[in-house]
C-alpha cells in the first residue's frame, strides 16, 4: 500500500514539473516569435494557432494524468 502512495506522489511531482517546464518553454518560444514577427496580422495568426495547439496538448496531458491516477488507485 505504501508503494502505491509513493508511486502516486512521484507521478504527481513528475507531472507537475513537466507541466511547469512545458509552460515556461512555450511562453519563451511564443514571446520570442511574437517579438520577431513584424506584421500585426502575423502575430494574431501565430498567437491563435499556438494557443489552440497548447490547449489541445494541455487537455491531452490532463486526460493522461487522470487516467494514470485512476489506474494507480485500482
Amino acid at each position: 500500500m505504501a508503494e502505491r502512495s509513493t508511486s502516486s506522489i512521484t507521478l504527481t511531482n513528475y507531472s507537475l514539473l513537466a507541466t511547469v517546464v512545458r509552460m515556461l518553454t512555450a511562453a519563451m518560444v511564443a514571446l520570442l516569435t511574437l517579438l520577431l514577427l513584424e506584421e500585426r496580422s502575423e502575430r494574431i495568426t501565430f498567437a491563435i494557432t499556438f494557443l489552440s495547439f497548447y490547449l489541445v496538448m494541455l487537455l491531452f496531458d490532463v486526460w493522461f494524468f487522470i487516467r494514470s491516477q485512476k489506474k494507480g488507485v485500482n
Side-chain angles (χ1 to χ4, degrees):
M1 186 95 166
E3 269 187 50
R4 282 189 180 179
S5 179
T6 304
S7 177
S8 178
I9 291 170
T10 303
L11 179 62
T12 302
N13 288 340
Y14 172 75
S15 180
L16 182 61
L17 177 65
T19 302
V20 169
V21 169
R22 188 181 306 120
M23 182 182 66
L24 291 175
T25 304
M28 287 190 299
V29 168
L31 279 173
L32 183 63
T33 304
L34 289 173
L35 288 173
L36 293 175
L37 291 175
E38 294 179 6
E39 291 187 31
R40 180 182 165 106
S41 63
E42 290 176 340
R43 289 179 183 166
I44 292 172
T45 303
F46 171 77
I48 291 171
T49 305
F50 187 85
L51 286 175
S52 62
F53 278 119
Y54 186 79
L55 287 175
V56 167
M57 189 58 127
L58 183 64
L59 289 173
F60 177 74
D61 192 37
V62 168
W63 173 76
F64 175 78
F65 182 68
I66 289 172
R67 188 172 171 208
S68 65
Q69 285 292 340
K70 285 182 181 179
K71 283 184 180 180
V73 171
N74 292 334

